[in-house]
């Protein structure tokens, strides 16, 4: 029941956040405004007020000028007087235009600056608060931390958008309305009251309509968060998704979330459309009673026509400002909800438990490394009902090495988590050096304890920095320390092959390195850190056995006299004299020296005595490696070492006798390293194979019991005493964020599984490799360069093809309504002009009659325009939602369809893809929903007004048209500049988000290495860079906005002056001129509206470009879709002269002319050193990659001719790294199986779980198979997750089962159970392909294939090969020291 309690708590937190969002007020937009923001905010408000007065002043001048024309029409003034007066006021208009240009420039500039400052404040507040949270808080995020961050970043963007131009526009329009109303009251308070009589009722109704939007906004956020979670999990586990044919499953989940979000958005769209339509009716309809009453005032001579016209113009501009505010209210409502959500999230973060460094806490002078656990019990926050430690009492002796072993889920890794204070014990005490751990200063604690975990986390920095991160005082890091660390981890070879050596940026998570290389970098980092206490949690399990032995021995030498805790399943690491704790179900069940435990017959040790991983350590002196067996030592490029070696019977006991004169320096030439580095004929650094190594070494000496091997390492740059690469600041954040993959990744020479060496080839083979590599290099140059912003025409051309026929009909009706809405404005202008002419009619009866006719005409126009306005906004928003949903779903479908290599490109990183499908799509919708209809209305309106004006008075219309080049140049310049800087701002924001994601996703490693301050500085620099770009954007955007806004006033002054000249010379009639004036002014003011939306249009255009790239990715064009032959049962698999190179490492063959035949219905073990291509065979069989050359056939059919989904359905894959999806246990096991399939029934799922040895554990969960696991669910240990993955493969009842080191994370008992299951499957006719280093797994397989350098070197039965003295014998000798002698 405790799980329900915690779910309830999360639910309450979610409800609290929801309530905050639902009650979002205007204050939510200023939740992150600090005192430093007050000055630019106040200045922006002042400028908004000043610029808001421009329009009423413009209305006042228009009223005066129209009055002059009315007086001329009534023959009260002469032509020359008219020209003089209009000229005078025209000059005033020019001055007003200049003032408008300056004020609007500064107004927009400052509001954009304020928006950037708000975004900066939110980003830094979020980052700082999340950086302070304890691990329990991260564990309890139901949506998963990656999804949470994605949604928070979207909220940040919405707050920034709302607090930029839209907020300033609202203030400006409010000032304009109030000033215009004041002006109207001044000239005729009674007419103003009559005209605005309906506004209070309209305001009440509008407020009620608006209140209905916030709940739907919040509900939409929830569904979009669910969609983001699907994206994150699917792309992060793309190998598993493809191997299990889960693309349709993921697409269905994503589509369901998107469609649900669309329903909530359409509620908002309908409410907003109702609001627009109603306000249009009120605004135009109010002139019916207004004109009638105004005519009465003129007739009764209470007011002159000029006062009435000024009052009308003021009321019209006031109500137009109110109408235009509605366009921005959508953005502001989203911003309010986002601001409230962010504030609620931060409050929840702040209320939760924080990581406290206890300033003033205990900081002992030294740490002796003595550690004691006293009656410690602990359960993880995600599973309060399951104790992983139960009253455990044990201690780790100071300055000694202690091993902790036990079954999966026994609580071993929890020891490291508690010692790092990631969590606090539920009960009991942990003491370090006699001090209670909670009293120790946290920085002191983590500066004295180093934790190296199995999943070695590396950062998107240079290799040097990743190693230097271990240094506690990085400003004093010396070259000797780094050199020693690199030597201890045997990284010289890896460094020599990187394009820029130590300065190579290794990508997010170290994706450009193999698993073994990453673990060795983590060990080198720990070596630099060199703390009194070191915890190694399965820290070498990804290494091949030679490197594992070398590194483990180096660790033993280094850790002499220091406290070391080694958590492992591999008992070969435990020597006779090592102290061991055996954990089971959270309790210490055995403890003591290994030799004593073996004598007492402890089951774990007794059970493993016959295992290759438990070869007994002889007490005799260690035997040296005979010279005749020199080639046994596989010195592949990943594990080439340059020191004297002595290999004993225990794989851990590899003695390193370093001789300085023979050890090449990774920072420069050693004493004997004077020759040039070897380079391949491909022009890039190539790894050295064992054969080539022995052929090219300068000399080999046999001295005593050691073999001295001289290596020819290429020289690398030397480090200075204090390396400047650490102390220098980042010049450009984009150097690590945005660097294209092919600038570094393509040059890194390592295998997917590990590094690989190549022997010398024959000339024919060399020519084959050269030809293939040349072809691959040509392909690499055809990649896409920098992504340019797509033109609006291209974006809009994607609308029609992506709509269903029903939606297309709706789109046509929507655009037809736009044309109707466009026609309403010039029609209203014409009717309005006719009403104006009634004011200088002398006959009162005629005047009243005409006023009544034209007033009713206004009412008719208002009703038609109101309906068309509603239809325009709702129908286009409806189509826009369908449009972006179509692109979203299509983009996600095409993403999942891309070949595996596509996901390794930097531009296709997880954070970028998630951002594109989430925030980018939301902004893209505005192009059709908000701006397309507006643009069509303005174009149509302008064309109608121009044509009408040409008919009425072509001369003045042509003068107005003569200003188009100027206006076009300004508007186009505004659009180009805004688009350019918006694109740059978007890139900077993406780089900032990437750092946020990287830091929080790897928060455990960040804290363990005390890197919080470093990443905070790095993030702050990225935020500052984004701010600087935003400030430049604001300056350029403000300038062009001011020019466009002032241009309208200049044009108005020109046409009024020219109109006066025409009227005074009797070339044109006053009534016609006033009609033309009215239509042109309405058109110009309406056209000017679009300039205010240019920044938002540019933003939407930039984001639409990213989404369109994804939705237009090649579909069904990869190797996965070339075949359509559906196999029922695979029988024989043949690899014929297969070569393969990973696309990101095109100069490095992983498989080289491989020839291999596999028969179904039997078991085959693929063995070999790391980097020999074992896992690559599994990838090729699953069609994750196509072979570079050669042929793979199944049942004599080329694999390219087979239907890939059918092929994958026949194969069950159990990978080394298990993937757990955020779903129930049953859904995880039956992942991607159709609900109608009998395989997905619970009884079949349980049978698979029992076979995987996980059923018993599942039954202990509160909700059994319905328990939620994965991101945001109940936590699992590594072994438990591995068994879930095994059950997932077994439930499918595959014809071929591939195990890729599937038992490496399991304890011996569970591993034995899996081996029994595999044996029973083989007896049922299931083909078994086991990729393994485990001798016990080899023993149960009927056939063993030994891979060496990418091809088969030996093949046969275990008993035959182990005595043959070939590569398999050497491989086992590498594992056990000397198996031949032992047996």
């Amino acid at each position: 029941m405790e799980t329900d309690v915690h779910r309830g708590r999360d639910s309450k937190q979610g409800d609290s956040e929801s309530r905050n969002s639902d009650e979002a007020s205007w204050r939510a937009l200023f939740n992150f405004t600090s005192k430093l923001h007050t000055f630019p905010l106040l200045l922006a408000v002042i400028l908004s007020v000043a610029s808001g007065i421009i329009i009423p002043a413009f209305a006042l001048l228009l009223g005066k000028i129209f009055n002059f024309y009315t007086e001329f029409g009534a023959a009260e003034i002469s032509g020359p007087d008219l020209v003089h007066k209009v000229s005078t006021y025209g000059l005033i208009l020019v001055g007003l235009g200049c003032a408008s240009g300056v004020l609007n420039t500064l107004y927009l500039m400052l509001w954009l600056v304020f928006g950037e400052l708000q975004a900066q404040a939110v980003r830094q507040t979020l980052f700082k608060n999340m950086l302070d949270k304890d691990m329990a808080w991260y564990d309890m995020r139901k949506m998963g931390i990656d999804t949470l961050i994605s949604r928070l970043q979207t909220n940040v963007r919405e707050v920034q958008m709302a607090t930029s131009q839209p907020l300033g526009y609202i203030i400006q329009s409010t000032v304009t309305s109030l000033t215009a109303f004041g002006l109207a009251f001044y000239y005729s308070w009674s007419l103003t009251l009559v005209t605005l009589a309906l506004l209070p009722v309209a305001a009440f109704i509008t407020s009620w309509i608006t209140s209905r939007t916030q709940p739907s906004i919040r509900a939409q956020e929830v569904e979009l968060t669910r969609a983001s979670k699907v994206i994150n999990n699917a792309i992060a586990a793309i190998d598993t998704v493809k191997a299990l044919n889960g693309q349709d499953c993921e697409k269905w989940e994503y589509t369901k979330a998107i469609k649900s979000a669309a329903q909530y958005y359409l509620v908002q769209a309908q409410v907003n459309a109702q609001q627009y339509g109603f306000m249009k009716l009120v605004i135009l309809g109010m002139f019916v009673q207004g004109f009638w009453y105004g005519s009465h005032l003129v007739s009764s001579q209470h007011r002159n026509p000029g006062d009435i016209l000024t009052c009308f113009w003021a009321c019209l501009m006031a109500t137009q400002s109110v109408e235009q505010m509605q366009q921005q209210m959508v953005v502001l409502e989203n911003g309010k909800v986002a601001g409230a959500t962010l504030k609620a999230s931060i409050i929840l973060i702040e209320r939760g438990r924080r990581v406290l460094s206890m300033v003033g806490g205990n900081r002992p002078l030294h740490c002796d490394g003595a550690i004691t656990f006293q009656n410690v019990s602990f359960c993880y926050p995600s599973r309060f009902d399951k104790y992983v430690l139960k009253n455990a009492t044990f201690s780790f002796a100071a300055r000694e090495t202690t091993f902790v072993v036990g079954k999966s889920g026994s609580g071993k890794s929890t020891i490291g988590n508690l010692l790092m204070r990631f969590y606090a014990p539920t009960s009991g005490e942990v003491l370090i050096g006699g001090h209670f751990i909670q009293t120790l200063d946290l920085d002191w604690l983590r500066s004295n304890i180093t934790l190296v975990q199995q999943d070695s986390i590396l950062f998107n920095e240079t290799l040097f920095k990743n190693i230097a991160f271990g240094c506690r005082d990085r400003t004093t890091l010396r070259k000797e320390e780094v050199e020693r660390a690199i030597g201890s981890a045997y990284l010289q070879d890896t460094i020599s092959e990187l394009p820029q050596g130590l300065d190579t940026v290794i990508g997010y998570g170290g994706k450009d390195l193999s698993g073994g290389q990453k673990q060795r970098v983590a060990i080198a980092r720990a070596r630099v850190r060199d703390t009194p206490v070191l915890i190694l949690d399965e820290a070498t399990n990804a290494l091949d056995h030679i490197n594992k032995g070398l590194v483990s021995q180096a660790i033993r030498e280094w850790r002499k006299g220091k406290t070391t805790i080694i958590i492992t399943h591999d008992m070969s690491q435990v020597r006779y004299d090592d102290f061991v704790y055996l954990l089971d179900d959270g309790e210490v069940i055995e403890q003591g020296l290994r030799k004593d435990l073996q004598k007492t017959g402890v089951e774990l040790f007794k059970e493993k005595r016959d295992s290759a991983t438990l070869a007994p350590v002889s007490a005799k002196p260690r035997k040296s490696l005979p010279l005749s067996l020199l080639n046994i030592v596989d010195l592949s490029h990943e594990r080439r070492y340059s020191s004297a070696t002595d290999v004993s019977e225990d794989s851990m006991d590899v003695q390193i006798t370093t001789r300085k004169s023979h050890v090449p320096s990774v920072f420069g030439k050693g004493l004997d390293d004077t020759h040039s580095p070897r380079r391949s004929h491909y022009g890039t650094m190539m790894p050295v194979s064992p054969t080539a190594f022995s052929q090219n070494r300068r000399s080999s000496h046999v001295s005593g019991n050691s073999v001295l091997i001289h290596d020819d390492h290429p020289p690398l740059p030397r480090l200075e005493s204090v390396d400047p690469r650490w102390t220098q600041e980042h010049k450009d954040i984009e150097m690590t964020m945005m660097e294209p993959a092919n600038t570094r990744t393509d040059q890194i020479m390592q295998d997917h599984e590990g590094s690989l060496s190549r022997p010398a080839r024959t000339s024919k083979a060399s020519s084959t490799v050269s030809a293939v590599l040349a072809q691959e290099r040509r392909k690499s140059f055809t990649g896409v360069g920098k992504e340019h912003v797509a033109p609006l025409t291209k974006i809009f051309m994607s609308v029609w093809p992506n709509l269903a026929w029903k939606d297309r009909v709706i789109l046509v009706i929507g655009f037809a309504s736009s044309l109707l809405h466009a026609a309403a404005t010039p029609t209203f202008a014409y009717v309005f002009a006719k009403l104006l002419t009634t004011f200088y009619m002398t006959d009162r009866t005629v005047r009243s009659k005409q006023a009544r006719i034209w007033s009713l005409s206004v009412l008719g126009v208002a009703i038609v325009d109101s309906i068309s306005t509603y239809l325009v906004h709702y129908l286009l928003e409806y189509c826009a939602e369908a449009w972006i949903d179509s692109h979203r779903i299509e983009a996600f479908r095409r993403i999942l369809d891309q070949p595996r290599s596509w996901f390794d490109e930097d531009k296709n990183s997880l954070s970028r893809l998630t951002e594109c499908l989430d925030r980018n799509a939301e902004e893209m919708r505005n192009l059709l929903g908000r701006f397309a209809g507006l643009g069509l209305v303005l174009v149509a309106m302008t064309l109608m007004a121009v044509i009408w004006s040409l008919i009425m008075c072509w001369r003045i219309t042509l003068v107005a048209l003569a200003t188009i080049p100027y206006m076009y140049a300004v508007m186009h310049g505004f659009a180009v500049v805004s688009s350019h800087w918006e694109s740059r701002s978007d890139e900077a924001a993406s780089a900032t988000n990437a750092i946020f994601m990287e830091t929080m996703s790897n928060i455990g490693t960040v804290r363990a290495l005390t890197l919080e301050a470093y990443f905070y500085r790095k993030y702050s620099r990225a935020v500052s860079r984004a701010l600087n770009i935003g400030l430049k954007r604001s300056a350029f955007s403000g300038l062009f906005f001011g020019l466009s806004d002032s241009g309208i006033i200049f044009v108005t002054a020109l046409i009024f002056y020219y109109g006066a000249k025409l009227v005074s010379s009797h070339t044109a009639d006053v009534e016609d001129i006033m009609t033309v004036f009215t239509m042109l002014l309405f058109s110009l003011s309406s056209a000017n509206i679009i300039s205010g939306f240019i920044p938002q249009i540019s933003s939407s255009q930039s984001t639409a470009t990213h989404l369109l790239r994804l939705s237009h990715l090649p579909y069904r064009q990869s190797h996965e879709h070339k075949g359509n032959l559906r196999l029922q049962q695979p029988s024989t698999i043949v690899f014929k002269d297969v070569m393969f190179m990973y696309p990101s490492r095109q100069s490095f063959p992983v498989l080289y002319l491989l020839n291999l035949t596999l028969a179904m219905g039997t078991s085959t073990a693929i063995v070999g050193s790391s980097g020999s291509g074992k896992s690559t065979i599994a990838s090729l069989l699953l069609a994750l990659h196509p072979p570079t050359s050669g042929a793979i056939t199944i049942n004599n059919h080329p694999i390219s001719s087979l239907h890939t989904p059918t092929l994958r359905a026949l194969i069950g894959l159990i990978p080394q790294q298990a993937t757990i999806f955020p779903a129930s246990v049953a859904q995880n096991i039956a992942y991607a199986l159709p609900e109608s399939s009998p395989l997905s029934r619970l009884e079949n799922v349980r049978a698979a779980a029992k076979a995987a040895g996980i059923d018993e554990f599942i039954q202990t969960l509160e909700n059994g198979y319905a328990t939620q696991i994965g991101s945001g669910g109940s936590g699992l240990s590594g072994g438990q997750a591995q068994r879930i993955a095994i059950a997932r493969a077994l439930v499918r009842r595959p014809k071929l089962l591939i195990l890729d080191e599937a038992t490496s994370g399991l304890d011996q008992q569970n591993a034995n159970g899996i081996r029994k299951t595999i044996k029973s499957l083989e007896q049922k006719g299931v083909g078994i392909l086991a990729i393994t280093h485990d001798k016990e797994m080899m023993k149960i397989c009927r056939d063993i294939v030994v891979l060496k350098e990418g091809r088969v070197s030996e093949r046969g039965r275990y008993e035959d090969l182990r005595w043959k003295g070939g590569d398999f014998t050497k491989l086992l000798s590498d594992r056990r020291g000397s198996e031949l002698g032992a047996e």
Side-chain angles (χ1 to χ4, degrees), residues 749-801:
M749 310 304 168
Q750 77 273 339
D751 179 35
H752 181 65
E753 313 159 9
S755 302
L756 184 63
S757 311
R758 289 287 167 260
R761 306 295 187 192
T762 63
S763 58
K764 180 179 179 180
S766 298
S767 62
T768 302
V769 175
S770 182
V772 172
L773 294 183
Q775 180 182 3
E776 292 301 319
R777 281 200 305 272
R778 285 193 295 271
K779 291 180 182 177
S780 69
F781 291 121
T782 62
V784 180
K786 184 178 178 181
E787 189 173 348
H788 297 285
V789 177
L792 287 174
T793 52
K794 180 179 180 181
I795 295 173
F796 283 122
M797 284 176 64
S798 72
V799 174
W800 186 263

Side-chain angles (χ1 to χ4, degrees), residues 1144-1184:
S1144 60
R1145 300 179 286 276
Q1146 294 171 358
S1147 300
F1148 188 19
V1150 179
L1151 297 179
Y1152 187 86
L1153 301 178
L1154 174 69
N1155 289 283
L1156 174 64
T1157 300
L1158 300 173
M1160 294 299 96
T1162 187
S1163 54
T1164 303
I1166 305 291
V1167 302
S1169 59
S1170 299
S1172 57
K1174 302 184 301 296
S1175 294
T1176 301
I1177 291 177
S1179 296
L1180 294 178
L1181 284 176
L1182 286 162
L1184 293 176

Side-chain angles (χ1 to χ4, degrees), residues 130-424:
M130 288 184 66
L131 202 61
D132 289 342
K133 296 309 298 174
D134 62 10
M135 296 302 294
W137 182 86
Y138 284 86
D139 290 346
M140 294 301 293
R141 297 312 94 200
K142 294 181 69 176
M143 69 180 69
I145 196 64
D146 290 347
T147 305
L148 172 65
I149 292 171
S150 297
R151 291 308 304 159
L152 289 177
Q153 297 301 337
T154 299
N155 288 332
V156 170
R157 176 66 175 177
E158 289 175 344
V159 169
Q160 179 183 359
M161 291 286 290
T163 53
S164 297
Q165 185 193 7
L167 182 58
Y169 197 91
I170 291 293
I171 295 176
Q172 184 189 56
S173 298
T174 301
V175 171
T176 298
S177 297
L178 293 176
T179 306
F181 283 142
L183 188 64
F185 270 98
Y186 175 79
Y187 278 93
S188 179
W189 63 268
S190 58
L191 177 60
T192 304
L193 288 176
V194 170
T195 303
L196 304 179
L198 294 177
L199 275 188
V201 177
F204 174 79
I205 295 175
T206 302
S207 177
W208 174 78
I209 293 174
T210 304
S211 66
R212 296 165 53 198
T213 62
Q214 287 193 3
S216 59
I217 292 175
R218 179 58 192 163
Q220 183 198 12
E221 286 279 323
V222 172
E223 294 303 322
L224 289 177
T225 299
R226 188 157 65 95
S228 294
K229 190 172 184 177
V230 174
I231 299 168
N232 272 289
N233 288 289
I235 297 175
I238 190 63
D239 281 353
T240 303
V241 170
K242 283 180 172 288
L244 298 174
N245 289 325
Q247 296 97 320
D248 288 340
C249 175
E250 297 296 335
K251 179 192 168 187
W252 182 81
E253 287 289 343
Y254 181 71
T255 302
K256 186 168 64 172
I258 288 298
K259 293 297 184 184
S260 182
Q263 294 302 315
Y264 289 113
Y265 181 79
L266 291 179
V267 172
Q268 304 168 45
Q270 188 172 47
V271 169
N272 291 329
Q274 291 171 355
Q275 190 175 2
Y276 293 143
F278 178 72
M279 286 304 297
K280 179 65 71 174
L281 177 64
V282 171
I283 289 171
L284 296 182
M286 69 183 186
F287 287 98
V288 175
Q289 71 267 23
F291 271 112
W292 170 82
Y293 187 67
S295 179
H296 169 72
L297 291 177
V298 172
S299 299
S300 61
Q301 297 184 347
H302 287 87
R303 286 287 185 272
N304 62 52
D307 293 343
I308 298 298
L309 286 174
T310 302
C311 183
F312 273 138
W313 275 113
C315 288
L316 181 62
M317 291 188 173
T319 53
Q320 278 186 335
S321 295
V322 172
E323 181 184 14
Q324 291 167 16
M325 279 194 284
Q326 289 181 288
Q327 298 284 343
Q328 307 292 347
M329 288 303 296
V330 175
V331 180
L332 286 173
E333 286 298 323
N334 289 332
K336 284 161 59 178
V337 173
T341 300
L342 287 169
K343 186 66 174 179
S345 299
I346 289 175
I347 289 173
L348 290 174
I349 293 173
E350 291 175 341
R351 286 177 182 171
R353 292 187 299 176
R354 288 176 169 273
V355 176
L356 299 177
S357 60
M358 293 189 65
V359 177
N362 192 1
R363 298 179 65 92
L365 294 178
H366 71 280
C367 177
D368 63 5
I371 298 172
T372 303
F373 281 62
Q374 294 181 350
N375 300 318
V376 172
S377 295
F378 176 74
C379 55
Y380 285 97
S382 58
R383 286 200 62 200
F384 272 92
D385 60 332
K386 175 66 176 177
Y387 280 86
V388 292
L389 288 180
K390 303 174 183 177
N391 295 320
T393 298
F394 49 88
S395 61
F396 299 98
R399 296 177 289 278
E400 296 289 342
T401 296
T402 306
F403 285 80
V404 180
V405 300
K407 295 190 298 186
S408 302
S410 59
K412 304 184 301 297
S413 297
T414 302
I415 295 172
N417 290 333
L418 293 178
L419 287 176
M420 296 304 297
R421 256 178 67 184
F422 291 157
Y423 305 91

Side-chain angles (χ1 to χ4, degrees), residues 463-519:
L463 179 61
F464 171 81
K465 275 200 173 182
N466 271 282
I467 296 174
F469 279 145
C471 185
R472 285 173 281 178
D473 184 5
R474 287 174 281 274
T475 59
T476 62
L477 182 64
R478 306 182 70 82
K479 76 160 189 177
E480 291 83 3
E481 298 177 57
V482 179
E483 192 170 21
R484 184 170 57 244
I486 290 172
S488 297
Y490 291 86
L491 278 170
Q492 301 98 322
D493 174 67
T494 298
I495 294 170
S496 70
E497 289 152 2
L498 295 176
Q500 286 83 41
L502 280 169
D503 293 322
T504 302
V505 178
I506 59 176
Y508 293 101
K511 68 180 179 65
D512 292 341
L513 301 179
S514 70
Q517 289 169 331
K518 287 192 287 186
Q519 285 197 337

Side-chain angles (χ1 to χ4, degrees), residues 68 71-72 75-85 1060 1063-1064 1066:
F68 297 150
E71 290 175 348
F72 179 79
E76 296 177 7
I77 60 174
S78 64
D81 290 338
L82 174 65
V83 173
H84 175 70
K85 290 183 177 182
V1063 170
S1064 63
H1066 301 286

Side-chain angles (χ1 to χ4, degrees), residues 739-747 780-781 783-784 906:
E739 187 178 353
N742 60 2
T743 62
R744 63 174 188 272
T745 311
D746 293 349
Q747 302 176 42
S780 69
F781 291 121
V784 180
D906 283 352

